[in-house]
Amino acid sequence: MGAIVVGKTNGLSNLERRVGPVFSVVFTTAIYLSIGPGLGIPRAGSVPFEMAIAPYVPETLNLNIVRFVYTLVFFTIALLICLKPNKLVERVGKFLTPTLLLMILFMFVRIVMMDKNIAAPSGDYLKAPVTKGFLAGYETMDAVAALNFGFVIAQAIKRFGVEDENEVTRYEIKAGLLAGSVLFLVYAMLASIGMIGSQKFAGAENGAQVLSGSIKLVLGDFGLVLLAFIFTLACLTTCVGLITSGGEYFEKLFNRKLSYRAWVYIWTLFSFVMANFGLNKLLAFSVPLLQIIYPVALVLIVMGISHKYLNYSKVSYVSSAIVAVGLPLVEVLDKTFNVNFGFVTNLVKSLALYEEGLAWLLPTIFVLVLTSLVVKVVESFIEVDKIRQKY
């Protein structure tokens, strides 16, 4: 949906301008920084190492040096791909992504054949599985990434010689539907793997441990090598998309004072450094930021995709965005930084789904429906008044 709505509005900035020009610049920049060098790219560079390589590095080797070498090679490959965006579809679309999908499918087929030891759900997955799953989805950054990648997809389509905006939109809708469907299947396979091995690996700290344990059971050491390649390819393709979209956006934002290539070098170098030295501290600030920008991103996607049918007013966009940003902001400041605004914080705490982290959801829906109805009523009165004046 994120890719489709960016295609239908001919760019993320055009979607956000329905709220206002200042919001468009601030929110777009916040998205690019948070899922770019502020969190997404450094995390993508370090996660495959931490999950698939670090646990098996011999104690005789210095872990920091091994991480440095790994991330150096990783970001060098990402840099070389990003420096030639005209080759992006060929390198990522024709080779890297299909290879990744085939490896995930092979892993799934082997693991799904092993003995199934399914544990009973526990914790939040027992009490509120849908809410827990929904909030866990924030960490994938898929929705905000889709808003960025939509721009990359549009640029890639135009490089094939497609100039007509309607045609670009049509192809982008197809790309969004295909990407969403494939991503759904990938998550379904990963979820099934987690379920199958849940009893065997009870007490595992995260899904990656379940995944690595499962694949080691069915494929031995080769499975660990395969998993390392899967993690690396998955994160590499993500990094390429993030660096490319960020470079093109900031080149345009600063009126081409720095070239696309310069921004690619800056983003890659900064992300390389953070992947080695500052990721944990960065996460402490970036994750709360994600919790603030994610709800409004979801709201904009839903409103953008349904705008053609409901024709939302400027008032609806502005009011919904204020609620979808304001309530998560108060919630994050209270839960993460213990900042209390007295009556305002207490009011937000009293809202439904506050403890679940979704205090913004019902008020945003209410404001959207209310403003839409009020605007329709006002417009109908104005129309009647014009008819009366005419006759």
Side-chain angles (χ1 to χ4, degrees), residues 111 114 193 197 201 209-219:
I111 291 177
M114 70 186 237
I193 290 171
F201 305 103
Q209 291 182 2
V210 176
L211 197 59
S212 58
S214 298
I215 200 166
K216 188 174 183 180
L217 277 179
V218 295
L219 293 174

Side-chain angles (χ1 to χ4, degrees), residues 280-339:
N280 288 336
K281 292 181 180 178
L282 199 62
L283 284 172
F285 293 96
S286 297
V287 171
L289 176 62
L290 203 58
Q291 292 172 333
I292 295 169
I293 67 175
Y294 215 100
V296 72
L298 294 175
V299 170
L300 286 176
I301 288 173
V302 172
M303 292 183 71
I305 210 82
S306 58
H307 181 86
K308 179 180 177 181
Y309 309 101
L310 298 173
N311 194 26
Y312 301 109
S313 66
K314 177 89 168 180
V315 175
S316 294
Y317 274 101
V318 172
S319 56
S320 299
I322 289 173
V323 175
V325 171
L327 295 185
L329 176 61
V330 173
E331 189 174 335
V332 166
L333 289 174
D334 176 44
K335 289 182 176 179
T336 307
F337 303 104
N338 294 319
V339 175

Side-chain angles (χ1 to χ4, degrees), residues 7 10 27 41 49 52 83 104 107 148 180 186 205 213 223 254 330 373 380-381 391:
N10 194 26
F27 181 66
I41 301 173
F49 176 81
L83 285 176
I104 292 175
M107 176 182 69
N148 285 13
V186 169
E205 294 181 5
F254 289 97
V330 173
L373 289 175
S380 65
F381 275 119
Y391 292 101

Side-chain angles (χ1 to χ4, degrees), residues 109-121:
V109 170
R110 291 304 305 267
I111 291 177
V112 82
M113 294 170 65
M114 70 186 237
D115 294 336
K116 296 174 178 59
N117 296 93
I118 301 171

Side-chain angles (χ1 to χ4, degrees), residues 71-368:
T71 52
L72 179 64
V73 173
F74 180 94
F75 282 108
T76 299
I77 295 172
L79 176 68
L80 293 174
I81 295 173
C82 293
L83 285 176
K84 294 184 178 180
N86 289 333
K87 297 288 185 179
L88 193 63
V89 173
E90 181 179 343
R91 292 171 175 173
V92 177
K94 290 185 178 180
F95 301 110
L96 293 182
T97 302
T99 303
L100 167 65
L101 293 174
L102 286 173
M103 288 194 297
I104 292 175
L105 181 61
F106 174 71
M107 176 182 69
F108 170 73
V109 170
R110 291 304 305 267
I111 291 177
V112 82
M113 294 170 65
M114 70 186 237
D115 294 336
K116 296 174 178 59
N117 296 93
I118 301 171
S122 61
D124 291 334
Y125 285 105
L126 175 62
K127 294 184 293 183
V130 174
T131 303
K132 174 63 178 176
F134 184 82
L135 292 174
Y138 283 18
E139 297 174 25
T140 68
M141 298 187 289
D142 285 337
V144 288
L147 294 174
N148 285 13
F149 290 163
F151 180 71
V152 177
I153 295 167
Q155 294 299 104
I157 293 169
K158 289 177 181 178
R159 290 189 187 107
F160 278 106
V162 181
E163 297 295 335
D164 183 77
E165 292 297 341
N166 291 328
E167 283 293 294
V168 172
T169 299
R170 190 167 65 85
Y171 281 117
E172 189 147 11
I173 289 173
K174 289 182 177 180
L177 290 171
L178 177 62
S181 301
V182 174
L183 196 57
F184 172 81
L185 292 174
V186 169
Y187 282 143
M189 286 190 283
L190 293 175
S192 299
I193 290 171
M195 176 189 67
I196 290 166
S198 55
Q199 185 67 55
K200 282 189 174 77
F201 305 103
E205 294 181 5
N206 53 59
Q209 291 182 2
V210 176
L211 197 59
S212 58
S214 298
I215 200 166
K216 188 174 183 180
L217 277 179
V218 295
L219 293 174
D221 290 337
F222 168 74
L224 298 176
V225 174
L226 175 65
L227 189 63
F229 273 104
I230 289 174
F231 269 111
T232 300
L233 270 183
C235 292
L236 179 63
T237 53
T238 300
C239 279
V240 167
L242 291 172
I243 294 171
T244 302
S245 61
E248 291 180 334
Y249 170 73
F250 276 89
E251 180 191 25
K252 185 178 179 181
L253 180 66
F254 289 97
N255 296 319
R256 307 187 187 281
K257 290 180 181 178
L258 281 178
S259 67
Y260 165 79
R261 292 175 67 90
W263 281 111
V264 166
Y265 278 114
I266 292 170
W267 275 45
T268 307
L269 179 61
F270 184 83
S271 300
F272 165 70
V273 172
M274 297 313 299
N276 278 275
F277 303 110
L279 186 60
N280 288 336
K281 292 181 180 178
L282 199 62
L283 284 172
F285 293 96
S286 297
V287 171
L289 176 62
L290 203 58
Q291 292 172 333
I292 295 169
I293 67 175
Y294 215 100
V296 72
L298 294 175
V299 170
L300 286 176
I301 288 173
V302 172
M303 292 183 71
I305 210 82
S306 58
H307 181 86
K308 179 180 177 181
Y309 309 101
L310 298 173
N311 194 26
Y312 301 109
S313 66
K314 177 89 168 180
V315 175
S316 294
Y317 274 101
V318 172
S319 56
S320 299
I322 289 173
V323 175
V325 171
L327 295 185
L329 176 61
V330 173
E331 189 174 335
V332 166
L333 289 174
D334 176 44
K335 289 182 176 179
T336 307
F337 303 104
N338 294 319
V339 175
N340 191 294
F341 294 107
F343 170 76
V344 175
T345 302
N346 292 334
L347 180 63
V348 174
K349 281 184 174 181
S350 69
L351 295 172
L353 302 177
Y354 175 81
E355 293 301 325
E356 290 82 359
L358 293 171
W360 61 273
L361 183 58
L362 296 179
T364 304
I365 294 172
F366 174 76
V367 167
L368 176 58

